[in-house]
Amino acid sequence: VKLVRTFVIMATLIAAGTAAFAQSAALAVTSTAPTVDGVVNAGEYGWSTDLKGLALYASRTADSLFVAVVGDTKGWVAFGLGSQRMNGATIFMGFVKADGTVEFKPQEGRGRAHFDVGAGVTATVVAHKMTEADGKTTLEVELKAAPYIAAGAAGLDAIWAMGSADSFLPVHVSRGSLSIPLAK
Ligand code: HEM
């Protein structure tokens, strides 16, 4: 029993160490811009993390912040910036319908709901593209960096979520929040 316990503890420590290593790299400004085509290729983004059924990617150039989410769903996917709760987050949400039509909306989180944004937030979206393939839905967005990343900030508060329907209304099947570490 003692041997088994030691093994379990060691395996847990190794797993924790691996996870810490994978998350330790911070999002840095580079000159390499991802292509906003609705497909995330290996090595395209400078920073990424695997969440519960959803992968979150980010890259930063001098002027732009690129964020992509790839969720295990045929329904909606979303990420939000500026808060670790729905309340106060600027949310980017969308889905691809069965006929291939894309619906995408920037939203602002208030309480446990989200609402349409004004022209100011819409103007921060430089480009966006969505695709759905093999049971996964991808949302790629290029944003103006300055409104989202304050000078000298050490982290960027973010939320993510996905739902099973092609609709902006039904609640998530999976959601979470994090701080994306920013390189100095
Ligand atoms: C589609 C409509 C949505 C509804 C009706 C909704 C509703 C809710 C409710 C009732 C909760 C509290 C229960 C729980 O923890 O699950 C919650 C929490 C949460 N939701 Fe949503 N949500 C929606 C969209 C979103 C979107 C688009 C995101 C991310 C971009 C998101 C991210 C979160 C997060 C991070 C939490 C936990 C922190 C918090 O309470 O704010 N939600 N949501």
Side-chain angles (χ1 to χ4, degrees):
V1 173
K2 199 173 173 196
L3 198 68
V4 171
R5 228 182 258 153
T6 309
F7 177 77
V8 169
I9 289 168
M10 280 179 67
T12 309
L13 285 175
I14 290 165
T18 309
F21 178 76
Q23 305 253 333
S24 69
L27 176 60
V29 176
T30 69
S31 56
T32 320
T35 310
V36 184
D37 57 0
V39 178
V40 174
N41 294 309
E44 187 178 357
Y45 282 81
W47 184 91
S48 69
T49 187
D50 273 318
L51 303 159
K52 285 167 278 178
L54 178 142
L56 174 69
Y57 300 85
S59 271
R60 212 180 147 188
T61 58
D63 296 324
S64 290
L65 170 65
F66 297 81
V67 181
V69 285
V70 182
D72 294 339
T73 181
K74 295 178 175 178
W76 64 267
V77 293
F79 67 90
L81 301 174
S83 174
Q84 291 206 29
R85 308 190 67 94
M86 289 179 72
N87 193 43
T90 305
I91 292 171
F92 304 90
M93 186 178 184
F95 49 86
V96 183
K97 294 199 278 191
D99 68 2
T101 318
V102 169
E103 297 219 19
F104 167 82
K105 283 205 285 201
Q107 294 276 281
E108 124 190 351
R110 263 185 264 151
R112 260 74 180 262
H114 52 89
F115 301 88
D116 288 347
V117 294
V121 173
T122 305
T124 67
V125 180
V126 179
H128 66 87
K129 185 87 183 182
M130 293 195 72
T131 58
E132 182 182 316
D134 306 325
K136 286 177 187 276
T137 299
T138 299
L139 166 63
E140 266 189 302
V141 185
E142 177 181 359
L143 299 165
K144 289 180 183 163
Y148 298 98
I149 300 178
L156 173 60
D157 285 341
I159 59 172
W160 61 273
M162 62 185 167
S164 54
D166 285 341
S167 163
F168 291 105
L169 302 177
V171 70
H172 18 79
V173 290
S174 184
R175 53 80 177 165
S177 53
L178 68 158
S179 174
I180 299 172
L182 300 173
K184 285 284 171 221

